[in-house]
Amino acid sequence: MKRQIGKTPTQEEWTALTTNNKSYDGEFIYAVTSTGICCRPSCQSRNPKFENIRIFQNIEAAIQAGFRPCKRCKPSSLRIPDEEWVMQINYHIEHHFHEHLTLDLLADACHGSPYHLQKIYKKVTGYAPIDYIQHIRVEEAKVLLKTTEQKIEQIGHAVGFSNTPYFITLFKKITGLTPRKYRFINGGIEK
């Protein structure tokens, strides 16, 4: 769901936001299409990719285009509700579960501190972000086990586990079955 409203940054705007230049705060707001978040040029979050940036004259225009204010730099006096932030976090997890995800990387991508993200996420959902990441990975692994001939190790890597024994252990803990047994019971192709 990439938003294409707003304009592409000029070199000056790109330099301002990649150097966190406070003197440009109030001059423009940048929005990140991959996260749906908008920020001040001085935001200390990790620099987004150039192609994911859209520039707006003010926070109101960015919000009207469907972007949400950053939790870190707070570009407006509007406070994003915790539930909405958790939806942003889940959206990021659902689209990046196969990548290496740590609490620090997740907090950086979702424009908050790791401590605050963990605290709010657990308050809203009742469980930690890592639990959701693992759930998404296991659900995707179940699909691959049923529909592909990939080896167990390949499936583990495809869904974001770099350690095959850990993948097998976690899969069994969550489903009650090893990946091999799950594949056999569900008519998957044994490889």
Side-chain angles (χ1 to χ4, degrees), residues 34 91-101 137:
S34 59
Y91 179 85
H92 186 79
I93 290 169
E94 290 159 7
H95 289 85
H96 299 275
F97 68 88
H98 57 283
E99 299 170 12
H100 176 69
L101 283 179
R137 287 176 173 170

Side-chain angles (χ1 to χ4, degrees), residues 3 54 74 92 104 106 108 113 131 168 170 189:
R3 298 163 178 89
R54 305 307 292 164
K74 300 177 178 92
H92 186 79
D104 286 343
L106 191 57
D108 200 35
S113 73
D131 296 328
I168 293 168
L170 184 66
I189 302 164

Side-chain angles (χ1 to χ4, degrees), residues 5 17 35 46 52 78 118 120 122 142 145 156 173 179:
I5 300 171
L17 71 94
T35 63
R46 184 172 42 118
N52 292 338
L78 300 174
Q118 175 87 356
I120 297 302
K122 190 157 189 164
K142 287 162 65 175
L145 286 164
K173 180 181 174 187

Side-chain angles (χ1 to χ4, degrees), residues 3 5 7 10-11 23 57 61 76 85 92 95-96 107 109 122 165 167 183 188:
R3 298 163 178 89
I5 300 171
K7 70 178 186 78
T10 63
Q11 186 58 49
S23 68
Q57 285 187 323
S76 75
W85 193 37
H92 186 79
H95 289 85
H96 299 275
K122 190 157 189 164
F167 164 59
R183 175 177 264 169

Side-chain angles (χ1 to χ4, degrees), residues 146 175-188 190:
K146 287 192 252 182
T175 66
L177 301 167
T178 65
R180 190 171 309 284
K181 184 77 168 173
Y182 181 87
R183 175 177 264 169
F184 177 76
I185 289 172
N186 289 285
E190 185 63 34

